[in-house]
């Protein structure tokens, strides 16, 4: 987390909640849920469960899903882009929640993190002087929506692994995923996710209506961008930058114009 906040100034760069990308709002709401549960456990001196929920959150929601979706935005998008600042805003807030939760348990480690953490002018000198954030209700509707998505993602990951074993693909980024779904409601639900390939870490996602649920994995026909390593339809379509996707072309052309 700290490495990805090296150029983040909370006085200037924070993105308002409503302007955050939806996956970033979800991550913050999930962290808020863990914070509320930790508060209850502290009140009951249930320290074991505090560590457990923090560990599971870091291992499952963050490491196994959320951080994977951030790599492209953090490392290949423009420094001041909304996509990158949105991700940094979520990381910043999630880290504060985790510091609050873990400071009484990992006193020295959290203090070291705090001393290297981007701060606002009125922040405390020590992590152990931090006030516990005011309790707020989590957005249950948002959490439920993403829980449903993550259940489907598990099935996609299983299909991707089977495709790897059969050597249809090497990495998931080479995959074209075809989701055959029997009902219109699920189709409409999935189409509300504007960055579906990014969320599933694949090159393409096609959704079609069929009589039964099925996930098919093929190798994409797109070429690989030499800068971000994403397989995208725009690679090879520009004479000046034939090996770059349209996103990376925009970044590289900006560098070329610099004095």
């Amino acid at each position: 987390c700290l490495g990805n906040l090296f150029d983040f100034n909370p006085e200037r760069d924070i993105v308002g909640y409503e302007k955050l990308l939806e996956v970033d709002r979800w991550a913050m709401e999930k962290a808020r849920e863990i914070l509320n549960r930790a508060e209850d456990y502290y009140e009951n001196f249930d320290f074991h469960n505090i560590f457990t929920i923090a560990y599971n959150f870091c291992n499952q929601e963050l490491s196994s899903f959320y951080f994977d979706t951030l790599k492209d935005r953090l490392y290949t998008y423009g420094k001041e882009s909304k996509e990158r600042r949105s991700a940094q805003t979520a990381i910043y807030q999630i880290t504060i929640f985790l510091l609050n939760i873990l400071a009484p348990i990992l006193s020295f480690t959290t203090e070291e993190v705090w001393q290297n953490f981007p701060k606002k002018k009125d922040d405390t000198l020590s992590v152990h002087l931090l006030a516990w954030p005011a309790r707020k209700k989590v957005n249950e509707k948002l959490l439920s929506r993403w829980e449903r998505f993550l259940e489907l993602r598990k099935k996609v990951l299983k299909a991707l692994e089977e495709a790897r074993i059969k050597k249809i693909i090497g990495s998931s980024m080479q995959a074209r995923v075809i989701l055959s779904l029997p009902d219109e409601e699920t189709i409409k639900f999935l189409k509300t996710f504007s960055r579906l390939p990014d969320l599933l870490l694949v090159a393409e996602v096609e959704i079609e209506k069929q009589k039964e649920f099925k996930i098919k994995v093929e190798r994409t026909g797109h070429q690989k961008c030499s800068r971000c390593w994403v397989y995208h339809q725009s690679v090879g379509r520009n004479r000046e930058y034939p090996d770059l996707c349209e996103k990376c072309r925009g970044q590289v052309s900006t560098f070329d114009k610099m004095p």
Side-chain angles (χ1 to χ4, degrees), residues 64 149 163 214:
S64 297
F149 169 78
K214 185 179 180 182

Side-chain angles (χ1 to χ4, degrees), residues 142-153:
L142 183 65
L143 292 180
S144 177
R145 165 178 161 80
W146 279 84
E147 183 177 350
R148 180 182 177 186
F149 169 78
L150 291 172
E151 284 301 313
L152 176 64
R153 179 178 174 271

Side-chain angles (χ1 to χ4, degrees), residues 124-137:
T124 64
L125 294 177
S126 170
V127 70
H128 301 294
L129 296 176
L130 274 177
W132 191 275
R135 190 173 185 119
K136 294 182 181 179
K137 290 184 178 180

Side-chain angles (χ1 to χ4, degrees), residues 71-224:
K71 291 177 182 177
D72 191 47
R73 282 197 280 148
L74 288 170
Y75 304 148
T76 69
Y77 277 71
K79 177 181 178 180
E80 302 291 343
S81 65
K82 174 189 173 182
E83 291 85 358
R84 185 166 182 270
R85 290 306 190 196
S86 177
Q88 287 181 310
T89 298
I91 291 173
Y92 170 82
Q93 188 59 65
I94 290 168
T95 304
I96 289 178
F97 286 165
L98 287 174
L99 286 171
N100 274 276
I101 293 170
L102 296 174
I105 300 172
L106 299 173
S107 56
F108 293 105
T109 302
T110 52
E111 181 64 26
E112 185 176 358
V113 171
W114 183 250
Q115 294 307 318
N116 293 278
F117 189 69
K119 302 182 186 64
K120 296 180 179 179
K121 293 179 181 178
D122 57 350
D123 278 337
T124 64
L125 294 177
S126 170
V127 70
H128 301 294
L129 296 176
L130 274 177
W132 191 275
R135 190 173 185 119
K136 294 182 181 179
K137 290 184 178 180
V138 298
N139 187 333
E140 296 289 355
K141 185 177 180 181
L142 183 65
L143 292 180
S144 177
R145 165 178 161 80
W146 279 84
E147 183 177 350
R148 180 182 177 186
F149 169 78
L150 291 172
E151 284 301 313
L152 176 64
R153 179 178 174 271
K154 290 179 183 177
K155 297 177 182 178
V156 173
L157 291 179
K158 181 180 178 181
L160 289 170
E161 183 57 31
E162 291 171 354
R164 268 192 290 266
I165 293 172
K166 296 177 181 177
K167 300 189 183 303
I168 296 172
I169 58 172
S171 74
S172 66
M173 298 303 296
Q174 297 173 322
R176 176 174 181 262
V177 175
I178 303 157
L179 296 172
S180 299
L181 302 168
D183 63 291
E184 289 288 349
E185 192 276 333
T186 304
I187 292 174
K188 289 180 179 178
F189 169 74
L190 284 177
K191 287 185 175 179
T192 61
F193 293 87
S194 59
R195 296 169 176 264
L196 204 50
D198 295 341
L199 295 173
L200 296 175
L201 296 180
V202 298
E204 303 176 75
V205 177
E206 180 182 332
I207 301 172
E208 60 181 19
K209 186 175 182 181
Q210 295 292 344
K211 292 183 179 180
E212 59 182 21
F213 176 82
K214 185 179 180 182
I215 301 174
K216 183 179 180 181
V217 177
E218 300 176 347
R219 191 181 182 93
T220 182
H222 297 338
Q223 297 180 52
K224 181 180 180 180

